[in-house]
Amino acid sequence: MFLDTTVREFLFDGVRFCINPNGIAKAICNQIKEGGSKTIRELSDGSLAFSFFNHKNGTGKEVYEVHTGKGDAQRVLEIQKLDDSHNLQVWLNGSEGETSMCNQINGTDASSYPPFRKRGDSMYIFSADICRSVELFYQSDIQYQGIPGFRYSIGENFINDIGPEHDNECFCVDKLANVIKRKNGCLYAGALDLTTCLDAPVILTLPHMLGASNEYTKMIRGLRPDAKKHQTFVDVQHLTGTPLQGGKRVQFNMFLKSINRIAITENLTTVLMPAIWVEEGIQLNSEMVAFFKKKLINSLKTLNIIHWASICGGIGVAAICLIYYVIQRRKPVAEVAPLK
């Protein structure tokens, strides 16, 4: 059931299988080839190779059309189209064919964010890796090497609150049979089926299944979920929308289960098996921090000083005028006797 491989093979080069198959194994291998999964490719000798991210290696092929911000600065870099389409065709749509909220493309690509953020607001990013838009919520004020900003992180509506009771059952693609799921076809809290996104039976959770249902976590030993280490977050300079630091953290899993007529699997208990968890991070380097402070923070400080100096100057002038007025009012008025 399990084999040893290298990180490079697992992620990019590919773990070879279906090498000179015979009988029923050959039929299964042909079915896998026809499936067209992005994670599996055919090699020159006819064997297959599985890798998680080979299809993501190199230059991206997606073409984005984004908003320039003209007329509304808060929409700058907001994705308008992906590959000439306003919506995805990955998740379930409405019964009448109308585009569901799951297939809507919202927000930026996370390389930058809308400016002039306010405490308590939220914003969207679109992640092509998991074929969906993700809402980020304000958490707190932060300081990054002297630069003020806001921290945002994902909410319960990312992968915990999914189903008809949350009005997002369009994420319940229900493509996997004989797995641990609810009667309505949705997975339990903390898991998202990416089968239609990756063309492979991959399930998304947070690292160490942070926040996932006990239906999944009770079967795995060694899980140590920690929100500080495993939660997705981003720190944004709130006036410009520039990301200061952040971490996108997700885990990819697969259901391990018994498969008919495959003897090696006959004694398997169905379990959601962790395969790999990934963290993509960003941190503004010291050169950019210095540039940012010089061009923005110092300018803002200067403007702030001028602002308060103007206010104080105005108050001072008003006070002088008031004092002068009061003094003039208190002066005795000279009486002039009438001429006889």
Side-chain angles (χ1 to χ4, degrees), residues 166-194:
H166 303 292
D167 296 325
N168 58 4
E169 64 270 28
C170 44
F171 284 124
C172 303
V173 294
D174 197 16
K175 290 290 185 179
L176 303 176
N178 303 319
V179 299
I180 304 171
K181 58 184 176 181
R182 295 189 286 168
K183 292 181 180 179
N184 60 11
C186 297
L187 297 181
Y188 287 97
L192 178 67
D193 187 351
L194 296 183

Side-chain angles (χ1 to χ4, degrees), residues 100-164:
S100 67
M101 56 84 63
C102 301
N103 278 320
Q104 292 176 1
I105 301 173
N106 300 314
T108 71
D109 67 347
S111 60
S112 190
Y113 300 88
F116 311 121
R117 311 308 310 163
K118 297 179 180 179
R119 293 179 181 86
D121 69 357
S122 65
M123 57 187 181
Y124 279 92
I125 60 171
F126 175 74
S127 176
D129 293 336
I130 58 173
C131 305
R132 62 165 292 186
S133 301
V134 179
E135 190 173 10
L136 302 175
F137 297 88
Y138 168 85
Q139 299 297 317
S140 62
D141 286 28
I142 57 95
Q143 286 277 337
Y144 177 76
Q145 297 188 33
I147 301 175
F150 295 162
R151 171 159 294 184
Y152 292 83
S153 69
I154 57 175
E156 293 296 312
N157 64 347
F158 177 45
I159 51 176
N160 284 353
D161 294 344
I162 291 180

